[in-house]
Amino acid sequence: MTSPGSAHSNGQPGIGQLDADLQRTVRRTSYMRQLFYFVVLLVALAGQVSGAVEALGIPLLWAVPAVGALELGGIVVLANADVRRRLGERATASRVLSAAIAGFAVAFNWMAHENKLMAGFFAGMSALGYLVWLMHTENQRRDRLRATGDLPPTTPAYEVVGHWIRHPWITLRAKNLAKADARLGLYSSLAAARAEKRKEVRTKAIAKVLHRKIRAAVDPTTADIAVAVYDLDEIAVRLADGADYDGLTALIAADLAPARLASDARVISVVDEPAPRPAITETAQEPVEEQLTLPEAAEAPAPAPVPAAGPVPAPAPEPVVSPLGEWRGEIAEILPPPAPRRARGQSKVVSPEQTAAAADLGDEPTLTPTRAIREGSLRSQVHAALHEHVPDNDPRDTMALTTFVGDLLELNDVERLTASNYVRTWKREVDAGRRSSVNGRHLQDVVPTKR
């Protein structure tokens, strides 16, 4: 077992040895300070005496004690103020008088010499001697207050960049904790400050949830009382004891699965990329009902016949008699007859080769995408397949169309998930085109009434 004054096993000095070195350093510093003040006092007195002889004409025999009393007067009054302050008084009058005497001595040294360089030298030595003695007395007073417990102990030396600049509030909290508990060192005080900060955040969150839960059952005043009475630290300890770390770990691990991350990244890229709007053809711009209700539609020439090998086009719906038929007749007499248009069901003509191939395969032919559909990005493939194989009035929803496109293009699960966004966009644009056609039809019905 090592004694307090012996060195540690790693070569570092012990606490007792450090205290002995500190005492020797204090005695040596005291001797040096006294010698320094004696030299400074002699130089200041020399300046005071020479200035008094030159400026005031006082004989040298009388000038030495006169300026000596002036130079030492500030130190004597300052020592008296230090004694009164150690007794618990403020000694404001003595401290002010001491500063005034020192200031007069410095000013006399400056004004009494014609050579201002010499005057500044003597005045500076007078000010230096007074300031050194003032610092010494203040250090002694703080040591006595710290020994009696009226002054907090010295705090650790925290780093400027690593502590004060990077974490100023944590460092300030650590410094205050070190003042309250002298046993805390540099890193212990920082760790205690971080733990106290985490405790404040945890207590604030628990108090907020507890207040909301209790206020839901009783009045807010009772909730305030409950939050003030309950030990929130005990609640935090019990919550930590009953925490399900395995369940929380599994919950986070499920979100970090590689397959889920790849799927989410593909969906985000698809959603962020806007799909191009398809071009609206002439048939989509005009509604079918308008072509069938106008009187001149019956006189329009019939569309070109479809080859015999192709499928039979769907029959055109019967004309709908509009209550505004008379006004439509007047408009027909004024406006030129419209150009013949194909019905929506006849807008897509299937080639004889495709029809023959479908007939050979039976009632349910296997859909095979063409070369044009297979080229390009996934979005262009999906839109091309929908435009070619799905009519505009198809009743299937987005899910059914996604399944149809996925089977047609032989997509995997990730590509089907991406294709669903393209199908939804295509269906929304088709519905928007249909609504715009209906709005145009309604506007054409209202025009004759305004006329």
Side-chain angles (χ1 to χ4, degrees):
M1 181 175 180
T2 60
S3 61
S6 61
H8 291 288
S9 59
N10 57 1
Q12 297 295 331
I15 298 178
Q17 185 176 353
L18 288 176
D19 292 340
D21 293 340
L22 180 60
Q23 291 177 3
R24 289 193 297 269
T25 303
V26 169
R27 287 194 299 268
R28 184 169 57 250
T29 304
S30 177
Y31 297 150
M32 294 174 60
R33 182 176 58 252
Q34 293 176 8
L35 178 62
F36 171 78
Y37 184 75
F38 180 74
V39 174
V40 170
L41 180 61
L42 289 179
V43 175
L45 284 175
Q48 296 280 0
V49 171
S50 61
V53 173
E54 294 178 3
L56 301 179
I58 300 176
L60 181 61
L61 182 63
W62 297 102
V64 172
V67 298
L70 176 63
E71 190 68 31
L72 294 176
I75 303 301
V76 172
V77 178
L78 182 61
N80 183 35
D82 180 62
V83 172
R84 304 313 302 175
R85 294 178 70 186
R86 292 189 181 189
L87 295 176
E89 299 179 5
R90 303 183 66 88
T92 304
S94 299
R95 294 163 62 188
V96 172
L97 179 60
S98 173
I101 294 174
F104 179 77
V106 173
F108 181 78
N109 258 334
W110 172 262
M111 299 176 63
H113 298 84
E114 295 181 358
N115 188 353
K116 292 305 177 183
L117 182 60
M118 183 183 299
F121 174 74
F122 287 129
M125 296 302 289
S126 297
L128 180 61
Y130 179 79
L131 293 177
V132 170
W133 189 267
L134 177 63
M135 293 172 59
H136 173 60
T137 55
E138 288 296 324
N139 292 337
Q140 289 182 335
R141 187 183 68 86
R142 286 197 303 272
D143 293 339
R144 179 177 177 82
L145 293 177
R146 189 173 291 112
T148 58
D150 296 331
L151 192 68
T154 56
T155 59
Y158 300 98
E159 298 178 4
V160 177
V161 178
H163 296 152
W164 286 110
I165 295 180
R166 294 186 60 186
H167 310 286
W169 299 113
I170 293 295
T171 306
L172 181 60
R173 187 190 293 265
K175 184 177 180 179
N176 294 332
L177 292 176
K179 287 181 180 180
D181 189 357
R183 296 172 298 178
L184 295 176
L186 174 62
Y187 298 104
S188 300
S189 61
L190 291 172
R194 294 188 181 95
E196 191 178 64
K197 179 62 177 179
R198 290 193 299 268
K199 180 181 177 181
E200 288 183 358
V201 175
R202 179 186 62 192
T203 304
K204 183 178 180 181
I206 293 176
K208 183 177 180 179
V209 174
L210 183 63
H211 189 276
R212 185 176 70 248
K213 294 291 185 181
I214 298 177
R215 188 177 58 184
V218 295
D219 56 289
T221 304
T222 306
D224 295 338
I225 296 174
V227 172
V229 169
Y230 288 152
D231 188 0
L232 301 181
D233 294 335
E234 181 66 22
I235 296 177
V237 170
R238 296 189 180 186
L239 286 175
D241 294 339
D244 185 8
Y245 291 97
D246 295 336
L248 293 176
T249 304
L251 183 62
I252 297 176
D255 292 337
L256 296 178
R260 182 182 181 88
L261 293 177
S263 176
D264 293 344
R266 187 66 180 271
V267 171
I268 292 174
S269 63
V270 169
V271 173
D272 293 341
E273 182 181 2
R277 298 180 61 87
I280 302 176
T281 59
E282 183 181 1
T283 306
Q285 294 178 356
E286 297 293 337
V288 179
E289 291 80 4
E290 178 183 351
Q291 303 172 12
L292 300 177
T293 55
L294 292 176
E296 61 272 16
E299 301 177 1
V306 181
V312 180
E318 297 181 0
V320 180
V321 180
S322 173
L324 304 178
E326 298 179 358
W327 292 340
R328 292 181 183 273
E330 297 177 0
I331 296 176
E333 295 176 358
I334 299 175
L335 299 178
R341 300 184 182 90
R342 269 186 314 205
R344 184 180 296 272
Q346 300 177 358
S347 60
K348 297 177 182 178
V349 180
V350 183
S351 63
E353 292 80 2
Q354 296 178 355
T355 304
D360 294 339
L361 294 177
D363 296 336
E364 296 181 358
T366 302
L367 297 177
T368 302
T370 61
R371 181 180 180 87
I373 294 178
R374 275 301 187 182
E375 295 178 354
S377 61
L378 180 61
R379 180 178 56 192
S380 60
Q381 295 179 22
V382 171
H383 284 192
L386 292 174
H387 283 300
E388 181 173 349
H389 296 281
V390 178
D392 295 342
N393 56 353
D394 192 273
R396 286 177 290 183
D397 56 0
T398 303
M399 184 177 298
L401 292 176
T402 303
T403 304
F404 170 75
V405 172
D407 296 339
L408 176 63
L409 301 178
E410 298 179 356
L411 304 178
N412 55 26
D413 294 339
V414 177
E415 292 176 341
R416 287 173 184 266
L417 182 62
T418 306
S420 63
N421 295 280
Y422 298 146
V423 172
R424 187 179 299 106
T425 304
W426 178 84
K427 191 172 181 60
R428 188 184 305 113
E429 292 173 352
V430 170
D431 294 341
R434 186 181 296 111
R435 286 194 298 270
S436 62
S437 300
V438 174
N439 293 336
R441 166 88 162 87
H442 177 70
L443 180 62
Q444 187 174 1
D445 291 341
V446 175
V447 168
T449 60
K450 292 183 178 180
R451 180 181 175 186

